[in-house]
Amino acid sequence: MTIRLHHAHQTRSMRTLWLLHELGVEFELVVHPFDKSLRSEEYLTLNPAGRVPALEIEGERMFETGAMTEYLCERFPQAGMGRMADDPDRMAWLVWVHFSETISQHTAALTQQHVALYDPATRSPIVTKLESKRLEKCYAALEGRLSTPIENRDYLLTSGFSAADISCGQAVYMAKHFARIEPFPELAKWYQRISEREAFQRSLPPEGEGIYASTFYPPLEAV
């Protein structure tokens, strides 16, 4: 089987990269710069939105990370990253796999403000403060889930580590550049736990090759 992932460092495609490492399958990684080359005619045949990731499997092409996560977990069930339709954790698995996009949309807005907009005059202190607070609301949702008083709540699902942790964990990895997780103790412990996994470490960008020049961007102040 030929699997090829089109990836750019410190983007949503890291979510799929991490999952592929956890699945333990062979794949080819094509790293793209995070620039206008993603809008080339050639690349748009892989992802018509001009974004990463794009996934090629046996001649077929996919885009959208949530769809990739569902497909890959169903294609390789032996790795235990998914939860099938008859599993008691299936509903929760779907919720948290897709909640990662709720987190990521706020991170994307902040990335645009702090990184993509080169002219400081075009950046909005209101937007950066609002989106940072929205990230904290997402953190609170994760904190609530991880604080549920059941035995062995080390991960988002009662049944253990899964692609739900991968999806939300990667989203938090990005979000941490704009909103701190330390005020959320269960979230912080969970994040430390999952970020120590070998597959997570293998998915990180080489030093200096990500899209963020800083590890943390505080909200902008009005001038």
Side-chain angles (χ1 to χ4, degrees), residues 10-111:
Q10 290 186 324
T11 68
R12 287 176 176 90
S13 60
M14 178 186 169
R15 196 173 299 159
T16 309
L17 177 60
W18 181 4
L19 175 59
L20 285 167
H21 283 311
E22 293 280 3
L23 292 174
V25 298
E26 293 186 7
F27 65 95
E28 176 186 348
L29 183 64
V30 181
V31 178
H32 296 266
F34 190 65
D35 60 20
K36 292 181 179 179
S37 65
L38 294 175
R39 294 174 179 81
S40 67
E41 290 186 14
E42 180 182 7
Y43 186 76
L44 289 174
T45 65
L46 300 172
N47 187 327
R51 299 176 182 273
V52 286
L55 187 67
E56 298 179 81
I57 301 181
E58 298 178 328
E60 298 293 334
R61 299 165 182 178
M62 294 188 76
F63 54 95
E64 291 300 323
T65 56
M68 292 178 193
T69 296
E70 290 194 49
Y71 178 82
L72 288 169
C73 289
E74 291 168 4
R75 189 71 182 264
F76 303 102
Q78 66 276 9
M81 292 296 103
R83 298 295 185 270
M84 299 302 106
D86 60 348
D87 192 297
D89 265 343
R90 173 67 173 181
M91 290 176 66
W93 185 87
L94 286 169
V95 167
W96 294 107
V97 162
H98 292 285
F99 184 69
S100 62
E101 276 303 299
T102 300
I103 304 170
S104 294
Q105 68 176 334
H106 302 308
T107 303
L110 287 160
T111 300

Side-chain angles (χ1 to χ4, degrees), residues 171-189:
V172 170
Y173 163 76
M174 300 284 287
K176 284 172 69 269
H177 289 86
F178 306 104
R180 301 191 187 279
I181 66 173
E182 287 77 11
F184 303 89
E186 296 304 318
L187 170 62
K189 288 188 288 186

Side-chain angles (χ1 to χ4, degrees), residues 135-151:
L135 280 179
E136 290 176 1
K137 291 290 187 182
C138 292
Y139 290 172
L142 289 165
E143 181 77 6
R145 175 66 175 181
L146 293 163
S147 301
T148 303
I150 68 166
E151 188 178 358

Side-chain angles (χ1 to χ4, degrees), residues 116-123:
L117 298 178
Y118 294 108
D119 182 359
T122 63
R123 299 171 179 167

